Amino acid sequence: MSVTQPPIDSPEIRRLEPVLAPGHTYLSVTDKIAAVVLTRPLGIGWLAGFGLTFSLVMLLFLSLAWLITKGVGIWGINIPIGWGFAIVNFVWWIGIGHAGTLISAILYLLNQKWRTSINRFAEAMTLFAVACAGIFPLIHTGRPWMAYYMFPYPSTMGIWPQFRSPLIWDVFAVSTYGTVSLLFWYVGLLPDLATLRDRAKDRAQQLAYGVLSLGWRNSAHHWHRYQSAYLLLAGLATPLVLSVHTVVSFDFSVAIVPGWHTTIFPPYFVAGAIYSGFAMVLTLAIPLRKAYGLEDFITMRHLENMAKVMLATGLIVAYGYFIEFFMAYYSGNKFDVFLANQRLHGPYSHFYYALILCNILTPQLLWFEKVRRNVAALFIMSLVINTGMWLERFVIVVISLTRDYMPSAWGRYSATFWDYSTFVGTLGLFVMLMFLFVRGLPAIAISEMRELVAHQSHGKGEHQ
Amino acid sequence: MDPMSDLANNEKLLRILEGAPAADTARGQQHADEHEEEAEDATRQEAKLDLSALRRKLKEKSGKEYWRTLEELADNPHFDALLHREFPRHASEWDDAVDRRGFLKLMGASLALAGLAGCGRPDEAHIAPYVKQPDQVIPGRPNFYATAMPFSGDAIGVIVESHEGRPTKIEGNPDHPSSLGASNAFVQASILNLYDPDRAQTVMYTGEIRSWSAFLDAAQSLATSVKATSGEGFRILTGSVSSPTLNSQIKKLLAAYPAAKWHHWEPATGDGPTEGAKLAFGRVVNTVYVPGKANVILSLDSDFLASGPGQIAYAKQFARRRKLDGPNGTLNRLYVVEPVPSVTGSSADHRLPLRASEIELFSRALGGKLGLGSDAALAGHAAKWLDTVVADLEKERGASLVVAGEYQPAAVHALAHAINLKLGNVGTTLYYTEPVEALPTGNAESLRELCADISHGKVDLLIILGGNPVYDAPHDFDFAAKLLKVPNSIRLSPYYDETSRYSKWHISESHYLEGWSDARGHDGTASIIQPLISPLYYTHSAHDVIAAFSDKPGMPAYDAVRNYWTEASAHLESSLDAGWRKWLNDGVIPGTKFAPITPELKFNAASLPAQAPAKPDQIEYVFRPDPTVHDGRYANNGWLQELPKPLTKLTWDNAALVSPKLAQTKNLAHIVQARGGEHGQILSALVDIELNGSKVTAASWTLPGVAENTVVLPLGYGRTHAGYTGTNKGFNAYVVRTSDALWTASNGKMTPNGETYPLACTQYHFNMEGRQILVTGTLEEYKKNPAFAHESGEAPPKSDSLYKEFAYPGYAWGMAIDLNKCNGCSACVVACQAENNIPVVGKDQVMRGREMHWIRIDRYYTGTDADSSREGKTGDPSEYSPTLDNPETFFQPVPCMQCENAPCEQVCPVDATVHSAEGLNDMVYNRCIGTRYCSNNCPYKVRRFNFLRFQDWETPQLKLLRNPEVTVRSRGVMEKCTYCVQRINNVRIDAEKQNRPIRDNEIVTACESACPSEAIVFGNANDPTSKVAKLKADERNYSILAEINARPRTTYLAAVRNPNPGGEKA
Amino acid sequence: MEHRPHSYGVMAEFDTPEEIMAAAKKTREAGYKHVTAYTPFPIEGLAEEIGFKWTAVPLITLLGGIGGGLTGFGMQYWMMAVSYPLNIGGRPLNSWPAFIPVTFELTILGAATFAVLGMIALNKLPEPYHPVFNVDRFSHASTDKFFLCIQAKDPKYNLAETARFLQGLNAKHVDEVKDE
C-alpha cells in the first residue's frame, strides 16, 4: 500500500503524483488535522499575527466612526469621480471570494479529487472576503443609516426599490452569494464537527462542537441525503458564482460611461475574479501548510494545479483587455477611442502599465514548470497578481470617470488617508478571521480526506 | 479740539490697532499662529461667563427690547469681543471648527430672537408692495416690493421678494431703465450682504461700542466746533453719489460750512468718461448708449455689456440684436479692441487684442481714417483690422456706435465722442445728458487734494461715507497714516473694516434694503429706495450721518427723502403726495429721466500731443476690478467668492493674468493636482511683481486672449479685515497701484519666485475634443446651411426604440438656451444659488471638485483651428499654441437637462430620482441614500452631491435668508437643478384657482429672470405657440451629445457669429 | 418505579469499508429490514445495501427553486408595474429584462436553502441524543471504524441471535445498544 516517492523531476511520473502523501491512514489524517484545532497550543506566531490584524480591525472601526461622523467627503471622491476606493475594494473582495466557491463547487462537479484538501479554507476565504466586500456598498452611501431603503420592505411611503438599477441586483446577488456560501461551508463542516465533538477532550469543546454538529452520527442514511444535498448545492453554487461577478460587472456595463459601457465585462470580470481568487488561495495556502505542517495534504500538486488555473484565467483577462481596446478602435466610437488613448497616455497611464505588468506579463512565467513548482515564486506571484487585479478595478472605476462626456467637467481623483485606512482595515479583518478560523475549525475537510485515504488504499490514487 | 485729548485718543487707537486685529484676523486666517490661538482661547473662557449673564438678561426681556438690552450689555468689552469675532461666521461655509459649534449655538439662540424681533415688516403707512395689495400678507405667499440698488455711480431698479417680512430674493424691475427686468451677479448676491453675520452691528468709538445718541452728541459738538471756522478743516469723502437726496443734504451742509470740502474716491471707476467729456465738450456730460439701434459697434476697451453704468440695459439691447429668427435674420456686428479678455470681448465678432497703451494709438488712427486729423502708425495686422472696421463704420453711418472704455485716458473718450459725432450716431445710437453722478470730478485728483490737506494738518474733521480708502487708495497716498493724523474721523461702513479700524468713529451702515433713500439710474431716472426690513442691527444710513451734522440731527432718512422730493416734484407731472404711492409701487419716479442735451464739440483731434508708442517688449500692468468681488466691497460675500469668474473660472482668488505667450517666455506653468484636477485644484507659479516702488506676490494665471506682454492685476482681493469669508483671499493689487498709474502701469518687474500656489478653478480644460457640445457657426454658414447644428450628431429616430414612449399629454416643461445671446456674465449662477438655498462650500472643497452650483457656465475656446486641438491636445492653457493668442470664446450655461430618457433615473436603486408627468426629472431628497451612481451616469455632470454637511444650520441670520419654498439639503444627498419647481407650482396653484391653463411666460425660472441677455427661455414645449416651443422648432436648436439619446428637455440654439465677410480674421 | 433500560439494537464494528459492505450484504440476505450503518465517510452503495433507495432532497430543492423564481419575478413586476408605477427614465413599467438578475438570484437562494434545510429535516437533525452514542466505541464512527446496527424493532430481531449473527460476519466487536 505504501508507494515509493517517485523522482520529482519527470513529468510523466509527476502526473501520477498523489494529492495526498502516501502512508496515511484514516486515523493519522484525522489526528493530524483535528490536532491543529483541539490540542496544538497557541504559538507565538499565531498570537503575533492575530494581534497585528486585530489592531488593523480597530483601525477599520476608527475609520468607519469618522466616516459616519463627517460623511463620505473625508474620502477623495468628488464630482465627476463619484466612486473611488470603496467600490474598487468592493469589486476586488467579491472577486477574491469566487475562487473558494469555484474550488468547492465546480471542481467538485468535475470530480477533481485534488480540491479536497484546499476546499475547506478556500470556502472560509470566500465567506470572509464576502464579509469584507459587503462592508463597502453599505458605507459608500452618503447616508448609510438609510441604506435599508434598498431592500423591498413594505414602507409607509408605499415605495419600493428600483429594480432596474444594477445596485439592487448587487444587493440580491451578494446576499444570495453570502448565504449560499455559508450553507455550503456549514454542510461541508457537519461531519468534521461531529469528529471534533467525538475527539474533544475538554467539556467546553465537546459542548460547542456537539451543538454545532447537530447530533450528526455518520449514519449511512444521513450520508446518502447529505451527498445528494451537497451535490445539488455544488450544482447551484456553480451558476451562482458565475452570476455574482456578472452582476457586479453590470454595475459598470449597464451605465453609459465610456470605459464602463461594454459587453465584454461579464466574462472578463468572472475570469478576473477566479484569477485573483486563486492568487489569494495561494497566498493563504502556502504559509498555512508551512505553519501547520500540512505539506502532506496540500502537496506541490495542488500548488501547481492552482498555478495552471491562474495562468489560464490570466490569459482570459488579457484577452479582455485586448478586446476592450479592439472594440474601442473598431467601433470608432469617439468617446471610447478617447478613453482608450487616455488609458495609454492620460494622467493615470502609469496605473495602466503597472496593471499590464502585474496581470499579464508576470503570470507568463507560469509557463515554466520550474516556476510553477517553486513555492516562494508562487507566493510572490500570488501577491503581484492580487495587486494587479486591484489596479484593474481602479483603472476601470476611476479612470473612466475622470474622462467622460463633458470635457468641461473632467476631473481627477486621489485617495485620502481615510480611503487607505478603510482598505487596510478590511485586509486586517480578512486575515484576522482567517487566524480565528484555522484554530477554531478544521482547515481541511477531514471526512473527505478519509475518503481520499480509502481511495488511495485501493490504489485509485493515480486516477485523479 | 484740544490736542492733548487727540494725542490720548491716537495712542488708544494705536493700542487697539495692535491688540484687536490679532483677534479679528484669527477668524479669517486658515492658520492663526499660536499666539493668536492663545488670545482667542483666553477670550473664549471669559466669554462663556458673559454669555450666561447675557442670556439671563435676555430672558427677562421680550421682543424688540433685546436690542436695548444688548446695547446696555454692549459696553462690556468681552461681549464686544464676542460680537465681533466669535459670533459671525461666514455663510454656508461648512463648519470646520467643531469645538466652536456649541458656543455658536448659544450666541445664535439669543441673537436669533433679537434678529427676528428686528425684522417685523416695515410700517405699512410708508411702503407699498408691488402689484399686490399692501394690507394683506398671506402667510406662505411672498410679497413683492420695488426698490433700487445703488451701485457705484448709478442704480439698478429691483423687485424684492419678501416672505413674512424677510427679503429673500431680488429680481430686476422691468419698469426701471437700468434693469429692464434683468439683473447681474452683484444685484443677486446683495441679498447675502444683508444677512452677512460679519456685518458691523453698532456704533463704535476707537473700537468700543457706543450708542447712536452718544454719536449724535459728539457730532453736534464737533459741528459747533467747526462752525467757528465756518467749516475750515471739515472734509467729507464719499464714493460716487447717485442719490439726489444725499447730494442735496451734502450741498446744504457745505452751504452751512462754506469752507468745508467734499471729496470723492471710487477705486474701480475710471476718470476717462468725465475727463474725456471735459476734453471734448469742455464740460462733464453723461453718455447714454443705445446699442439696440447700432448695426456696427466698436468697443475701444469697453466692457459695456458687463460693467459700468447701464450695463444690464446695454446687454439686453445688444442681445436683442443677437436674436436670429431664420436664415433671413440679421445680426449686428461687434468689434472689440481690448488688452484684457472681457465678457464683451468674448461675444465680439472680431476681437483684436491690443495692449492698453496701444488702444489710444488705435483710436487716433481710427480718427485719422475718419478724417479727424489725428494720426498714428499701427502694426500690420492691426492696420488691416482697422481698415475693415472703418469700412464697416462708414457703411453704417448713423447706425454705428463707438464705445470708449472707462479705464482709457481722456483722449480716447474725446476721440470716441468726435467719431460718433462724425458718423452721425449722436441722437440715434447714443445721446448725452447731464451727469448722473453728484460729484463727477476726477477721482485720484480729489483724493490727492484731501491727502495733501491732511498732511498739512488742515483737516480736523473727516467724514468718510462708504468706500474703504485705507485698503483701496493708491499706495503712494499712504492713506492709513493720513487718516491717523485726522483728529476726528467718522466712518460710515457696513463692515468694521480696514478703514474703520483707523477711524475714531465707526458708524455701521444700513443695507440698502434696510433704510429709505433714493438713487438715479444710468439715464437719470430716479427711484425711491424703500426698506424691505427694519435694520437688523444698530445701523444707519449716510442720510442720518449727514443729518447729524446739520441743524436737524437725528432727522429720519424717510423725512430727508420726502423733503427733497417735495421740492423736486415741483417740476414733475405728479406732486409727491399724489405720486408717492405710485413711485414706490412702480419703483421709478416718472419724468425724472434726464433729457438729452447736445453739447458742442470743442475738441480738435489733430491738436492731441503726439504719443510715443510703447516699446513692444515692455510689459504693461493693467488694473481692473475683479468680475466677482469688484473693488473689494463684495470680498465677504460667499456667493460671489465662489462664483467662477467668467473667463478664468477661478474662485476664491484673484491671479495675475498673463497671455499664453508671456507665460511661455517666463515659463509660468500650471500643474494640475491629482485631487480635484482639471475640475478643481491647479498649482500655479507665484510671481513677485515689483511696481512703482512696492512689491506684491501673486499667483499667475495663463489666460488665452490677453494682449501680448500684458499682465492683468484684478483688484479687490487681499483684504485684511473683510470678515470670515473675505479676509486673506488672493493678493492685494492696490499695494502696487499708484495715483499716477491707476489703470495702466509699466516699468515694473515680474519674476517667478519659484514657489507655487493652489488655485480653485472649476473648469480648466477648454476644448471640446470635437464633441457635439457647443455648436457654433458664422452667419454665412448658417445661411448656406441652416441645419448646420445637426451635422455633428443627431439623436436616433424615436421609431428605433423598442420601448413604448411615455406620453406627456399635459404640460411638457422645457428650456431653450440661445448661445447666440449668452455672454457668460454668470448672473444666472448666483440667481440660482439665491433661489434654491445652494450652499457655499469654500475654497478647499472647490479644489476637490465639489462646488454645488446647479447651473454652471462652461467656457470653451474654439480658436481659428479648434480642430487641431482635437488631435490629442490636452486643452491645457499652459501648453502654448498660437491659437491661444486670440481664440474665439463661447459660453454655455449648463443646468440639468431634464432628459426624457434620463440615465440617472435608471440607475438609482431607491427611486430617489424619478420622472414627473410633466417631464421633470425630480429629486426626492428624503429618499436619496447617496450612492452617487446617478451622478456617475449623468453624461452632462450636472448633479451635485453633499459630500459633507455643506449647509450652515446654525447662523441665525442665514436662516432668515433661506427661501422657505426650497428644501435645505443636508449631508449625504444628491441635488440638482429642478427647473425651479417651486415656481412652477406657485403658478400652477394660481392657475388652478382661476381654473385656467398656465400661460406662456407665466413661469419664470430664477436663471431666466436674472439673465440680462434673455438667453434662457423656459416654458411648455407642448404648446406650439409658446416662446420655448418656437425656439425648439428653430433649425439652430440642438441638444448636447444628441447621439446618447437621452432626449434632453434643455436644448440649445447654436451660436452664430457675424464676422465681416471681407474682414481681417481675428 | 425504577425504569429498566430496553435495548435499541445490536451494533457490530468493522475495520474497513469492504468488510462492512460485505456484512451489510449478508445482513440483508439474512432478511433484516431495520438496519443502519455508521461510517466515518460516505461509502458508495452502502445505503442501498441496507435498503435505503430514494431521497426527497432533490424534489424539495426543485420546489424551492421554482418558488424562489416565481416570487422573484412576481415581486418585481408587482412593485414596479402595479403597486407604485413610476416613469423611470422613460423605461417601460415592466422592464422584464432588468428583472432577470434578481429573479435568477432568488431562484438559487430558494433552491439552496430548501436543499440544506430539507436534508437536515429529513435527517431529523438536530438530534442531540441518540441511543447509539451510548456505545463507548461508537466515537470511532467519526474517525476510523465502521459500524453496522440492527435495530430492536426489526421483526427478526433477537438480542442473542442477532448478536451471534453479527459475530459470524467477523465483526471486531459486537455491543448491545441500550436506550436509557
Side-chain angles (χ1 to χ4, degrees), chain B residues 146-150 155 512-513 515-519 527-531 561 584:
Chain B
T147 180
M149 167 178 154
Y512 74 93
L513 293 173
W516 287 94
S517 182
D518 54 5
S527 314
I528 303 295
I529 297 178
Q530 57 175 333
V561 175
L584 295 179

Side-chain angles (χ1 to χ4, degrees), chain A residues 68-69 73 75 77-79 82-83 140 142-143 162 165 251 256 334 403-405 408 410 412 414-415, chain B residues 675-676 678-679 771 848 850 858 906-909 911 926 928-933 937 941 947 971 1043:
Chain A
I68 302 298
T69 320
W75 293 341
I77 47 175
N78 56 36
I79 305 287
W83 285 354
H140 100 287
R143 305 197 295 167
Q162 207 277 93
S165 167
D251 288 350
I256 64 174
K334 53 177 175 281
R403 294 281 183 271
D404 73 342
Y405 290 102
S408 59
W410 285 350
R412 291 189 199 179
S414 85
Chain B
R675 185 151 299 152
E678 292 84 352
H679 179 228
R771 301 174 180 185
R848 292 163 180 262
R850 296 173 179 176
D858 288 345
Q906 188 215 347
V907 297
C908 174
D911 275 335
N926 283 352
C928 178
I929 60 174
T931 65
R932 303 179 299 286
Y933 200 175
N937 210 34
K941 288 292 172 281
F947 287 92
R971 169 192 137 188
E1043 65 255 57

Side-chain angles (χ1 to χ4, degrees), chain A residues 215-267:
Chain A
W216 178 265
R217 53 182 188 276
N218 305 292
S219 142
H221 296 73
H222 288 187
W223 277 123
H224 190 74
R225 301 196 184 92
Y226 176 92
Q227 282 189 296
S228 129
Y230 198 77
L231 183 66
L232 287 164
L233 272 183
L236 291 166
T238 306
L240 175 64
V241 69
L242 299 182
S243 81
V244 171
H245 227 56
T246 304
V247 167
V248 170
S249 77
F250 285 164
D251 288 350
F252 307 103
S253 47
V254 165
I256 64 174
V257 179
W260 284 10
H261 187 66
T262 154
T263 46
I264 189 69
F265 269 13

